[in-house]
């Protein structure tokens, strides 16, 4: 029986209008490095300082610590300004799916390549709370573990926080290749969703267990899994 669902935030459960990628691209370009769509796609879902360093390098720059930190601060500044202009919203059916799963005793956690301050601002905007009787059981951000995606640490940290010990009873979902790789590295069921910037053709070549249109399909998907078990 599935005990825990771990979902990415931007593009998977939250529609933030792709502003995170716009802020990432624009902040790196301000350093003088060029950002191609292919390079940006490869670093979707990753911890943002790591993504910034990689994109600066790929764009012909030299990402020393000071430049990465300055660019990260600029990324956050741009992102918050974009969010102020066009606030993030829950993707259709996500809240209802989470509530249904919770009513069935399945715990719900979120992971994100954002830092805690950015994630908290989004959760506050959505009025999504963490705790007993709330929509979410745990939220883990990339700055709270040793390495972000595709490392498995955020997923395992959610398992630790929710008391789930068996990776066979966990599903991790996300809209990027890094999300799928993190799920497989964690040893859990890795599910791709098509609510982000990538399509089925982008995700299918990478190791995964299932690709769904949306997190909203999770209750039905889990019911089918358990019928097969």
């Amino acid at each position: 029986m599935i005990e825990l669902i771990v979902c990415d935030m931007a593009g998977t459960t939250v529609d933030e209008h792709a502003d995170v990628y716009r802020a990432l691209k624009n902040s790196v370009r301000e350093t003088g490095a060029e950002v191609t769509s292919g390079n940006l796609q490869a670093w979707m879902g990753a911890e943002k300082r790591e993504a910034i360093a990689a994109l600066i390098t790929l764009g012909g720059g030299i990402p020393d610590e000071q430049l990465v930190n300055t660019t990260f601060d600029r990324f956050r500044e741009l992102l918050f300004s974009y969010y102020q202009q066009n606030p993030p919203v829950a993707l259709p059916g996500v809240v209802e799916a989470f509530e249904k799963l919770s009513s069935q005793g399945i715990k719900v956690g979120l992971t994100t390549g954002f830092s805690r301050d950015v994630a908290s601002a989004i959760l506050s905007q959505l009025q999504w709370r963490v705790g007993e009787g709330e929509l979410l059981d745990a939220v883990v951000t990339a700055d709270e573990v040793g390495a972000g995606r595709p490392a498995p640490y955020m997923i395992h940290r959610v398992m630790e926080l929710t008391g789930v010990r068996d990776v066979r009873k966990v599903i991790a979902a996300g809209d990027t290749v890094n999300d799928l790789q993190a799920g497989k590295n964690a040893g859990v069921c890795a599910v791709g969703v098509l609510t982000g910037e990538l399509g089925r053709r982008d995700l299918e070549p990478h190791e995964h267990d299932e690709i769904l249109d949306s997190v909203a399909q999770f209750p039905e998907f889990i019911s089918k899994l358990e019928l097969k078990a």
Side-chain angles (χ1 to χ4, degrees), residues 46-103:
E47 192 277 324
K48 297 304 175 281
R49 277 193 175 86
E50 186 180 0
I52 286 167
L55 290 170
I56 291 174
T57 301
L58 290 167
I62 300 174
D64 60 59
E65 184 177 357
Q66 182 177 352
L67 180 60
V68 170
N69 288 337
T70 300
T71 307
F72 178 72
D73 289 342
R74 178 58 174 157
F75 158 75
R76 290 196 304 177
E77 181 183 357
L78 288 172
L79 186 63
F80 282 126
S81 71
Y82 298 158
Y83 283 174
Q84 187 172 24
Q85 296 164 25
N86 196 13
V89 295
L91 280 161
V94 167
V95 171
E96 293 81 1
F98 283 174
E99 289 175 343
K100 186 169 185 178
L101 294 171
S102 293
S103 72

